[in-house]
Each structure stands twice: as C-alpha cells, then as structure tokens.
C-alpha cells in the first residue's frame, strides 16, 4: 500500500478494524498502531537483529517451560483508552499468565498479559520509551521491558507500581538469558 493510497482512503477517525485492513493490504509488512488518543504510527518491518532478539527471548522462555500458547511475537493488543478500547499496539513480544481466550482475534485484550517487550529501534525510541509505557501501565500490564540495541542490547525491566512503571533493573540481554525466568517473571 503506497502512502498515496493510505492518504486517499484514510478514514477521519481510524479504528482497530481499519488498522487490520491496512496491515493486510500492505505488501511491505509495515506495522500500523494506534494510540488510545488516536495517533497513528506506521513502522517498517523489523530487521534481522530485531527479529533475532525477540526469538532469543522467546526461546529462553520456552526452554524454561513457559507454555508455547502463552507467548507471542508481534501480536496486536487492544489498549483501553479514556472511553474504552480505542488503541492498538503490537509489542515485539507478549507473555500471558493464561492463554488468550480467542487467539484468532487480530487485536487481543490485555487481560492476563504479564509482560510486554519492546525492542527499541532507531525511530521508535519516543514511542517505546515514552508513549507505550504510559499506555501499558494504564492497561494494568504488570511488567514492561525494553531492549535497547544501541546500548549493547541492554534490557531495562519495569514493574507496575500503582499506575506507573518503576525501573527494576537494566542489564545486558546476554546476562538475562543466562538467568532463570522465575528471577524476572512470575505468574
């Protein structure tokens, strides 16, 4: 889908169904996200390093015995806004305490989500480090991690305290992957 096509056919107020249709029509695999306030973000497909980091974290969780149906890469989450569900984000990795009730939905509810992981890329820093933490905290997601590729693949772990995240640790990804999942994530 070209920028011209999006511009001509973009509704005045985008919905999650509109985003799903735009992603389905995009031959280049862009991610379309919508903040609860209605701000549209379009991200290019992940590069190889980005995908490998997500896969390494997922493999670490699986090797520790986390159920495969409770982990997903690049799945849509419906983010509640001031007037109900109005935003949609696509974290790089999502971990649930229980399998999603209806995994065939494009935009899954945040119920039972324990952790979202965002791998920070050039151009996504502001959204990943400022907007998304507020949205995920507002949705009640207990943990939020960022992986900063430009800082030696540093994982910054945040835990929800009240209605905001507090930083718990910042450590190299290689170190995290050599520890027990239960040291960092609990149900």
């Amino acid at each position: 889908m070209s920028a011209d096509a999006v511009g001509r056919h973009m509704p005045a107020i985008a919905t999650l169904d509109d985003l799903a249709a735009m992603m389905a029509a995009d031959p280049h695999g862009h991610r379309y996200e919508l903040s609860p306030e209605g701000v549209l973000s379009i991200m290019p497909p992940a590069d190889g390093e980005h995908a490998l980091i997500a896969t390494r974290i997922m493999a670490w969780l699986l090797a520790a015995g986390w159920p495969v149906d409770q982990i997903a890469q690049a799945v849509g989450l419906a983010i509640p806004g001031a007037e109900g569900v109005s935003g949609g984000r696509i974290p790089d990795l999502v971990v649930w305490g229980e399998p999603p009730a209806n995994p065939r939905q494009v935009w899954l509810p945040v119920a039972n989500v324990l952790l979202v992981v965002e791998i920070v890329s050039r151009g996504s820093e502001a959204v990943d480090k400022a907007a998304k933490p507020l949205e995920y905290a507002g949705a009640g997601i207990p943990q939020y991690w960022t992986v900063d590729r430009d800082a030696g693949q540093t994982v910054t772990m945040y835990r929800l305290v009240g209605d905001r995240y507090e930083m718990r640790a910042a450590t190299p990804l290689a170190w995290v992957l050599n520890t027990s999942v239960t040291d960092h994530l609990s149900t």
Side-chain angles (χ1 to χ4, degrees), residues 12-109:
I13 298 174
T15 67
L16 295 182
D17 289 339
D18 295 327
L19 265 61
M22 291 185 325
M23 285 186 286
D26 188 327
H28 305 293
H30 291 90
R31 287 187 191 179
Y32 293 76
E33 295 182 341
L34 190 65
S35 78
E37 295 78 29
V39 177
L40 177 67
S41 299
I42 303 171
M43 281 78 57
D47 63 22
E49 179 189 39
H50 189 282
L52 287 171
I53 291 169
T55 300
R56 289 176 66 201
I57 296 170
M58 189 169 182
W60 172 69
L61 290 160
L62 291 169
W66 207 272
V68 70
D69 59 349
Q70 292 176 227
I71 309 167
Q73 291 187 45
V75 67
L77 291 179
I79 304 296
E83 298 178 21
V85 175
S86 57
R89 293 295 187 185
I90 305 171
D92 294 309
L93 193 69
V94 179
V95 179
W96 287 270
E98 296 178 16
N102 185 0
R104 288 188 174 203
Q105 291 176 270
V106 174
W107 300 100
L108 298 172

Side-chain angles (χ1 to χ4, degrees), residues 2-14:
S2 70
D4 184 49
V6 170
R8 272 197 317 254
H9 303 291
M10 185 69 184
I13 298 174

Side-chain angles (χ1 to χ4, degrees), residues 5 18 41 59-60 64 69 79 81 83 101 110 116 129-130 134 136 138 140 144-145 149 160-161 166 168 173 185:
D18 295 327
S41 299
W60 172 69
D69 59 349
I79 304 296
E83 298 178 21
V110 294
V116 291
K129 293 183 176 182
L134 295 174
Y136 295 151
Y144 176 60
W145 296 0
R149 300 185 316 164
L160 189 61
V161 177
E166 289 184 4
R168 204 176 114 237
L173 176 61
L185 187 63

Side-chain angles (χ1 to χ4, degrees), residues 49 53 56 119-120 122 125 129 146-156 170-177:
E49 179 189 39
I53 291 169
R56 289 176 66 201
I119 299 162
V120 181
R122 287 186 188 98
E125 286 182 271
K129 293 183 176 182
T146 59
V147 181
D148 193 335
R149 300 185 316 164
D150 289 338
Q153 296 187 357
T154 298
V155 179
T156 304
T171 187
L173 176 61
W175 180 83
V176 172
L177 297 177

